[in-house]
Amino acid sequence: MRIFSGIRASGAKTLGNYSGGFRQYAAMQEQGEAFFCIVDLHSITTPFEPEELREATLDLAALLFATGLDADRSTVFVQSHVHEHPEAAWLLGSVTSFGELRRMTQFKDRSAEQDFVSAGLFTYPVLMAADILLYRTNVVPVGDDQRQHVELTRDIAERFNQRFGETFIVPEVMVPEEGARVKNLQEPERLMSTTRGAPQGVVRLIDPPDVVRKKFKSAVTDSGREVLHDPEKPGIANLIEIMSVATGESIPEIEARYDGQGYGPFKEDVGEAVVALLVPIQHRYQELRADEPQLRGLLARGAAKASETAAPTLEAMYERMGFVRP
Ligand code: TYM
């Protein structure tokens, strides 16, 4: 089984990224041949600073290994190191419609927030489809916000196969049952995001323990009677889900354990559980990030393996589309 996922190299990654992404990657690398791509080419579709992009790329590499990816099992690489990605994206642009891209919710949300909407932001999902399809991927582990992009990838794959002959595997999306939509702690109706929403409600994987505790202490809960089990209460539901991600306990178990207690102590306990989860990750992260030559070496190894896998797919695309090859 082939597994592929991508992670944007921008901002400091959040507890949401861990919950919907990193956590799944580490588990899935045991189940097949896994590729994890730091998508730096996607990072330039929204405003960015060159110096920060360089740092963010290496930070993210260290974080991926720190959260459990094993360089001997998984191929971890940087998208811009493998030229097949943008080339394949250009080819796939011919089987993607303007209407499809215009309907993407991520594009609608992000473009509404910016004065300068780049062409790259619009064609972002085509590059994402190229990422996935080049590896003849069976399963794509992502959080819920990326589901629509993977569904578009499936449509693009089917359309290409129909028009030019069987070339791609049509991939399945894999979204975790719990923790696929971690919300901002201050604004529980919106997703926790690296770049948007109240900063006090965004828990970053490299936040110091005291900062994490404080963010949970001030998390917005809901008014009315303090009961844990109430689907009408997005703030508390989010905290329960985070607790479940941090400890591995099921939601009913957590609800039973805190039954009849107030929100205050519960919020503190969730904060402690997240601190216990993050501290070992942060230690490994600091160590890995301090050795840049080693990190670059791992990424070079990853890129070589990725390119070896992607090149034959790209070649098949060119052939089937009628290009004269050099
Ligand atoms: P990115 O970098 O925004 O996010 C990385 C992963 O984290 C998940 N995620 C969340 N999960 C739960 N709760 C949240 N609040 C939350 N926020 C983010 C995302 O769903 C994602 O799985 N477009 C992708 C990167 C990409 C990609 C790909 C993914 C490029 N090519 C190919 C899969 C396959 C993105 O921006 O992820």
Side-chain angles (χ1 to χ4, degrees), residues 36 38 58 61-62 64-66 69-78 81 288-289 291-306:
F36 299 106
I38 298 169
L58 292 167
L64 283 168
F65 292 117
L69 292 188
D70 172 354
D72 291 326
R73 271 182 200 276
S74 293
T75 302
V76 178
F77 68 102
V78 177
H81 295 180
L288 287 155
R289 188 64 185 89
D291 192 348
E292 211 168 293
Q294 186 200 326
L295 213 47
R296 284 174 184 268
L298 291 175
L299 293 174
R301 215 171 99 196
K305 172 95 185 294

Side-chain angles (χ1 to χ4, degrees), residues 140-156:
V140 186
V142 285
D144 200 51
D145 65 307
Q146 295 300 317
R147 192 192 281 275
Q148 193 186 34
H149 287 158
V150 182
E151 273 157 15
L152 175 63
T153 301
R154 291 168 56 87
D155 293 341
I156 292 173

Side-chain angles (χ1 to χ4, degrees), residues 15 185 200 202-218 267-283 285-286:
L15 190 58
L185 303 184
Q200 262 306 101
V202 178
V203 179
R204 303 190 180 277
L205 297 180
I206 54 169
D207 274 344
D210 279 343
V211 172
V212 174
R213 289 189 184 102
K214 214 165 129 206
K215 286 178 178 173
F216 278 96
K217 240 183 228 166
S218 63
K267 287 200 284 188
E268 282 188 30
D269 285 4
V270 181
E272 280 315 318
V274 171
V275 166
L277 169 76
L278 296 185
V279 164
I281 292 175
Q282 293 178 354
H283 283 308
Y285 170 77
Q286 302 297 355

Side-chain angles (χ1 to χ4, degrees), residues 63-113:
L63 203 53
L64 283 168
F65 292 117
T67 50
L69 292 188
D70 172 354
D72 291 326
R73 271 182 200 276
S74 293
T75 302
V76 178
F77 68 102
V78 177
Q79 190 182 35
S80 66
H81 295 180
V82 181
H83 65 82
E84 283 82 359
H85 289 238
E87 277 185 65
W90 182 258
L91 301 184
L92 292 178
S94 70
V95 289
T96 312
S97 76
F98 177 79
E100 282 172 317
L101 293 176
R102 194 177 42 184
R103 281 195 294 276
M104 292 292 115
T105 37
Q106 186 167 303
F107 173 72
K108 287 195 276 189
D109 289 351
R110 288 183 192 270
S111 60
E113 287 168 357

Side-chain angles (χ1 to χ4, degrees), residues 6 8 13 16-17 20 39 124 128 131 142-143 145-146 180 182 192:
R8 234 171 331 145
K13 303 313 266 187
N17 295 126
V39 295
Y124 180 116
M128 180 159 160
D131 297 340
V142 285
D145 65 307
Q146 295 300 317
V182 173
M192 189 182 284

